[in-house]
């Protein structure tokens, strides 16, 4: 859809969400509106509520851990996208058991990571644990439970080498830190995402990320730590053509809307997601580089959004303090 259609559908979804939720949570409303709009769907609170009831009240599918209400909505949308909600719930619970077998400790993070595990694949769970342990060796205090969903997403390829991938993550992190990216968990997420298509370090990707941030700054768009993972996806999706002019144009259209008053950071996140999704869809249709990772990128959007509500993008205290001295 073009920008005008995107904005129209976004506003319609946002207003529906506002009316259903009472407008109490700005981040949740923008998150759901963006999800539904990019998926070209119309928000229905009744449908989401029925799904939430399935995993909070139905004894056939008891979740091992209770999610906060924001992530209940987001999980419901994720399950809705799977088509058969009952089957998706069963798969989620079984995958969580596999992650437990791989020695991941129980938490909301592990449950959300189970969404991205290859169904019934214990070897995938073990690869994810291996990568997590390697990351913990190299960035011990920066690595936390919030990284569990990421390591699951990053180890879908059975041929990945966790040790080399962990080294690449550290190298991306340190190189971007030198280029004035703020330290902490969002930068760690950015570095991790860059290893998704290829686990080897790639200086071209680093330069692409730096260029995107600088071009946004020249367009007078403020980039926050919140945006780092989205920038990583954009760098992977767009290659040398950063699409900044398209993002800037849509961003400026969005901030003219009343719902983005005092919420410009969400406007930039929405613009990046829309432009990157369009680019990935085109690559998928034309079978260009990265098209085979289209579903993985879609999963990453979901993953980034989940982690907004369980600590990934808020100050990480000790990890940031210790990283400063590293």
């Amino acid at each position: 859809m073009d920008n005008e259609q995107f904005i129209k559908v976004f506003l319609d979804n946002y207003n529906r969400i506002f009316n259903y939720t009472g407008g109490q949570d700005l981040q949740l409303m923008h998150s759901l509106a963006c999800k539904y709009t990019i998926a070209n769907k119309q928000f229905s609170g009744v449908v989401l509520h029925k799904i939430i009831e399935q995993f909070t009240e139905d004894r056939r599918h008891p979740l091992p851990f209770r999610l906060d209400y924001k992530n209940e909505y987001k999980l419901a949308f994720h399950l809705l996208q799977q088509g058969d909600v009952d089957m998706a719930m069963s798969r989620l619970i079984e995958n969580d058991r596999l992650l437990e077998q791989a020695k991941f400790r129980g938490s909301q993070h592990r449950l959300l990571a189970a969404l991205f595990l290859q169904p019934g694949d214990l070897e995938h769970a073990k690869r994810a644990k291996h990568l997590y342990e390697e990351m913990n060796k190299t960035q011990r205090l920066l690595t936390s439970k919030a990284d569990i969903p990421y390591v699951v997403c990053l180890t879908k390829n059975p041929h990945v080498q966790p040790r080399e991938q962990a080294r690449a993550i550290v190298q991306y992190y340190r190189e971007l830190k030198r280029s004035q990216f703020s330290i902490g968990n969002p930068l760690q997420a950015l570095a991790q995402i860059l290893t998704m298509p290829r686990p080897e370090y790639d200086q071209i990707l680093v330069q692409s990320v730096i260029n995107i941030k600088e071009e946004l700054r020249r367009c007078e768009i403020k980039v926050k730590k919140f945006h780092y993972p989205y920038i990583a996806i954009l760098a992977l999706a767009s290659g040398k053509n950063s699409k900044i002019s398209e993002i800037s144009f849509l961003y400026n259209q969005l901030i003219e809307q009343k719902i983005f008053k005092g919420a410009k950071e969400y406007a930039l996140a929405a613009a990046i997601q829309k432009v990157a999704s369009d680019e990935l869809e085109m690559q998928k249709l034309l079978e260009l580089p990265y098209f085979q990772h289209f579903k993985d990128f879609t999963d990453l959007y979901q993953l980034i959004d989940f982690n907004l509500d369980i600590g990934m993008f808020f100050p990480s205290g000790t990890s940031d303090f210790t990283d400063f001295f590293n």
Side-chain angles (χ1 to χ4, degrees), residues 164-194:
E164 287 70 19
Q165 192 165 11
R167 289 173 179 169
I169 291 169
V170 172
Q171 197 169 356
Y172 281 128
Y173 184 93
R174 290 176 177 171
E175 196 66 30
L176 290 168
K177 175 182 172 182
R178 294 190 193 100
S179 300
Q180 309 306 310
F181 279 75
S182 299
I183 60 177
N185 287 330
L187 182 58
Q188 171 85 331
L190 189 165
Q192 290 169 4
I193 291 170
L194 292 182

Side-chain angles (χ1 to χ4, degrees), residues 173-282:
Y173 184 93
R174 290 176 177 171
E175 196 66 30
L176 290 168
K177 175 182 172 182
R178 294 190 193 100
S179 300
Q180 309 306 310
F181 279 75
S182 299
I183 60 177
N185 287 330
L187 182 58
Q188 171 85 331
L190 189 165
Q192 290 169 4
I193 291 170
L194 292 182
T195 69
M196 190 186 74
R198 292 187 298 271
E200 301 84 8
Y201 176 81
D202 185 345
Q203 180 62 36
I204 294 175
L205 277 180
V206 171
Q207 195 57 52
S208 178
V209 168
I210 294 170
N211 291 345
I212 288 170
K213 184 184 176 188
E214 180 59 25
E215 288 178 51
L216 288 169
R217 187 193 66 79
R218 284 199 292 267
C219 292
E220 300 183 350
I221 300 175
K222 187 174 183 179
V223 175
K224 297 185 177 182
K225 294 169 73 173
F226 165 82
H227 300 115
Y228 286 0
Y230 296 109
I231 288 176
I233 293 178
L234 180 63
L236 293 176
S238 58
K240 294 181 180 179
N241 183 3
S242 64
K243 300 287 183 177
I244 296 302
S245 60
E246 295 177 33
I247 291 169
S248 177
F249 187 70
L250 177 55
Y251 169 82
N252 284 300
Q253 287 181 297
L254 288 171
I255 61 175
E256 291 176 359
Q257 310 302 317
K258 184 178 179 180
I259 65 170
F260 286 103
K261 184 178 181 180
K264 291 183 178 181
E265 65 269 28
Y266 299 130
L268 178 55
I272 290 175
Q273 288 181 74
K274 196 271 183 185
V275 171
S277 294
D278 287 350
E279 180 67 15
L280 286 164
E281 185 64 46
M282 182 61 66

Side-chain angles (χ1 to χ4, degrees), residues 113-176:
L115 290 169
F116 311 108
L117 188 72
Q118 301 282 28
D121 193 341
L122 180 59
E123 291 306 311
H124 180 193
K126 290 178 178 179
R127 286 196 305 276
K129 180 63 173 175
H130 188 180
L131 177 57
Y132 184 85
E133 290 173 345
E134 291 294 337
M135 286 169 47
N136 200 34
K137 290 177 185 176
T138 53
Q139 293 179 304
R140 182 174 296 278
L141 291 178
L142 192 61
T143 303
S144 69
K145 292 179 180 178
D147 295 302
I148 297 173
Y150 277 94
V151 297
V152 171
C153 266
L154 296 175
T155 52
K156 288 184 177 181
N157 185 336
H159 303 296
V160 297
Q161 299 295 322
R163 182 173 297 177
E164 287 70 19
Q165 192 165 11
R167 289 173 179 169
I169 291 169
V170 172
Q171 197 169 356
Y172 281 128
Y173 184 93
R174 290 176 177 171
E175 196 66 30
L176 290 168

Side-chain angles (χ1 to χ4, degrees), residues 85-119:
V85 175
D86 280 336
M87 184 179 295
M89 281 297 305
S90 297
R91 185 165 58 240
L92 171 64
I93 294 166
E94 175 59 25
N95 281 351
D96 181 72
R97 291 195 189 104
L98 293 177
L99 290 171
E100 183 179 22
Q101 287 183 45
K103 309 301 183 184
F104 282 109
R105 292 183 179 180
S107 65
Q108 283 194 74
H109 299 88
R110 191 184 78 188
L111 179 62
L112 295 174
L115 290 169
F116 311 108
L117 188 72
Q118 301 282 28

Side-chain angles (χ1 to χ4, degrees), residues 1 237 276-295:
M1 66 181 82
S277 294
D278 287 350
E279 180 67 15
L280 286 164
E281 185 64 46
M282 182 61 66
Q283 292 187 25
K284 180 185 177 185
L285 292 174
L286 299 178
E287 299 189 359
L288 294 175
Y290 297 132
F291 86 96
Q292 65 269 33
H293 300 289
F294 182 77
K295 186 178 185 300

